């Protein structure tokens, strides 16, 4: 099977690349890791204006989705530029709430699609952490057949603090600086767990939370949300690997040894060629999974798992290649490349470890 993006999809990728290049994402990532979320949230709103967060939200709630192929296009670019934040989680939350429906979907989905609400998510079977819960307006958790929502500290200061159609409102959301709805104001999630990537801030969800949906439909919607989270993370991993390879190729053309570029050495060429092959073999698996998701094929879950294994391993291999061929400079904090090096391993394991995804492929 041959996968080719159409003209509109390629233009979407080019527009996101231009937007993110102009945004100076390395500076955004550094700020996010240090706790300065302002530039990252400003970029979040620009991505929302470009339609990124509407891709998985149903049209009935102000979105344009679900559009898996366009989601893959977007998240490859987000991974290539290293954009921080609960991007995957917000998209998966859109799938979860869209599947559950009800008042929670009406309250939060328009905000997710428009970028005025930042949502994080934790699902059983994918680890105990919610990414960047400290900046989220809400954290969704699914345990068994129950969907719980905990309003986060971001609800008071982040995009969700705005007013207007589709902006989260309701019990526990402050009406303004120092204001109150008469219910307890949201509290922060505590201290983050140390991560290999300082820009991926991991928090254990607060216990309790409001039950916003219950029943067998929640379990089914959570399964679909987990599949989408795995899919979007695979796309991020592919983009991260591409950025690492591109930076490494540029570096070995400049670094010289014995008066010639090190990129002319056969061993270096072979290492780069192997890295490129891994990434290029992962790409059709990713877009093949997107087609199966779009068609609602019974084997979509296994196809997504296969794409995640391939993209995650290829991205991590690209990081190892980049580190080796950059030499000692690859370890330095000052080099922007260090942020991509640190991200490749977490993306490989997030939302489905290689062993879990291989088991899913074997299960069919």
């Amino acid at each position: 099977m041959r996968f080719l993006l159409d003209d509109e999809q390629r233009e979407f990728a080019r527009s996101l690349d231009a937007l993110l290049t102009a945004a100076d994402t390395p500076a955004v990532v550094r700020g996010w890791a240090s706790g300065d979320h302002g530039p990252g949230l400003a970029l979040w709103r620009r991505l929302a204006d470009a339609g990124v967060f509407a891709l998985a939200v149903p049209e009935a709630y102000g979105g344009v989705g679900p559009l898996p192929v366009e989601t893959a296009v977007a998240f490859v670019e987000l991974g290539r530029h290293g954009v921080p934040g609960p991007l995957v989680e917000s998209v998966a939350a859109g799938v979860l709430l869209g599947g559950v429906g009800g008042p929670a979907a009406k309250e939060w989905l328009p905000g997710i699609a428009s970028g005025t609400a930042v949502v994080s998510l934790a699902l059983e079977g994918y680890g105990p952490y919610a990414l960047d819960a400290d900046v989220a307006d809400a954290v969704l958790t699914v345990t068994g057949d129950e969907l719980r929502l905990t309003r986060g500290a971001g609800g008071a200061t982040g995009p969700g603090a705005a007013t207007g159609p589709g902006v989260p409102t309701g019990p526990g959301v402050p009406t303004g600086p120092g204001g109150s709805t008469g219910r307890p104001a949201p509290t922060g999630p505590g201290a983050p767990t140390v991560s290999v990537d300082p820009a991926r801030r991991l928090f254990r969800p607060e216990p309790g939370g409001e039950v916003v949906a219950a029943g067998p439909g929640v379990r089914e919607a959570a399964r679909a949300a987990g599949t989408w989270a795995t899919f979007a993370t695979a796309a991020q991993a592919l983009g991260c690997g591409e950025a690492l390879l591109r930076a490494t190729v540029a570096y070995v053309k400049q670094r010289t040894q014995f008066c010639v570029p090190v990129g002319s050495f056969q061993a270096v060429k072979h290492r780069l060629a192997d890295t490129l092959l891994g990434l290029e073999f992962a790409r059709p698996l990713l877009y093949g999974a997107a087609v199966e998701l779009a068609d609602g094929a019974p084997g979509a879950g296994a196809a997504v798992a296969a794409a995640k294994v391939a993209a995650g391993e290829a991205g991590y291999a690209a990081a190892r290649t980049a580190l080796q061929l950059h030499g000692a400079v690859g370890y330095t904090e000052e080099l922007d490349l260090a942020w991509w090096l640190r991200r490749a391993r977490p993306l490989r394991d997030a939302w489905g470890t290689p062993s879990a995804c291989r088991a899913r492929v074997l299960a069919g």
Side-chain angles (χ1 to χ4, degrees):
M1 188 177 293
R2 189 181 183 195
F3 302 106
L4 289 176
L5 300 177
D6 61 30
D7 291 340
E8 187 174 344
Q9 291 162 344
R10 287 194 291 271
E11 181 56 35
F12 182 43
R14 284 192 291 268
S15 67
L16 287 178
D17 180 49
L19 184 158
L20 294 170
T21 299
D24 188 17
T25 50
V28 173
V29 175
R30 291 178 187 276
W32 193 274
S34 67
D36 179 10
H37 297 131
L41 292 175
L43 179 57
W44 185 283
R45 289 187 283 272
R46 293 179 66 189
L47 290 170
D49 291 341
V52 170
F53 301 115
L55 294 172
V57 174
E59 293 183 11
Y61 298 100
V64 296
L67 295 174
V69 175
E70 285 75 10
T71 299
V73 170
F75 274 81
V76 168
E77 292 301 325
L78 295 174
R80 182 181 291 121
H81 287 273
V83 180
L87 304 158
V88 167
E89 289 71 18
S90 284
V91 167
V95 174
L96 174 62
L97 291 171
V100 170
K106 293 179 181 179
E107 179 181 1
W108 289 96
L109 283 178
I112 292 174
S114 65
T116 56
V118 179
V119 178
S120 192
L121 175 68
L123 298 177
E124 281 185 316
Y126 292 99
Y129 300 110
L131 183 67
D132 295 313
D134 59 330
V135 75
D137 298 289
V139 177
L140 299 174
T141 57
V142 175
T143 305
D145 290 341
E146 283 189 344
L147 170 60
R148 293 179 177 268
L149 183 149
T150 303
R151 299 183 188 274
T157 59
T163 59
V167 177
T169 58
V173 179
T175 58
S180 173
T181 60
R183 300 293 183 91
T187 58
T193 298
V194 176
S195 171
V196 172
D197 178 3
R200 288 179 59 86
R201 299 164 59 82
L202 305 174
F203 294 85
R204 289 185 179 271
E206 291 290 295
E210 175 190 1
V211 178
V212 295
V218 170
R219 191 182 294 271
E220 185 60 32
R223 187 178 297 111
T227 298
W228 271 75
T230 303
F231 172 68
T233 305
Q236 274 191 313
L238 179 62
C240 180
E242 289 178 346
L244 287 163
L245 178 61
R246 182 181 302 175
T248 306
V249 169
Y251 181 73
V252 299
K253 289 179 179 179
Q254 298 171 358
R255 182 185 174 191
T256 60
Q257 195 171 40
F258 306 116
C259 300
V260 296
V262 297
S264 64
F265 299 159
Q266 189 177 54
V268 172
K269 289 180 179 179
H270 285 182
R271 186 67 185 265
L272 291 170
D274 288 343
T275 302
L276 177 62
L277 283 174
L279 294 168
E280 289 303 317
F281 273 106
R283 190 186 314 280
L285 288 175
L286 177 68
Y287 286 109
V291 171
E292 295 212 26
L293 275 177
D295 293 342
V304 167
K308 177 61 162 55
V309 170
E313 296 285 20
Y316 183 48
R320 292 168 63 91
T321 296
L323 185 59
Q324 179 181 9
L325 298 186
H326 275 80
V329 71
Y331 288 90
T332 60
E333 288 279 352
E334 293 76 15
L335 189 69
D336 290 340
L337 183 81
W339 295 96
W340 279 258
L341 288 171
R342 289 177 170 184
R343 182 156 299 183
R345 178 67 179 269
L347 287 178
R348 188 193 73 166
D349 296 338
W351 291 105
T353 63
S355 59
C357 288
R358 287 189 175 97
R360 179 69 181 87
V361 173
L362 291 174

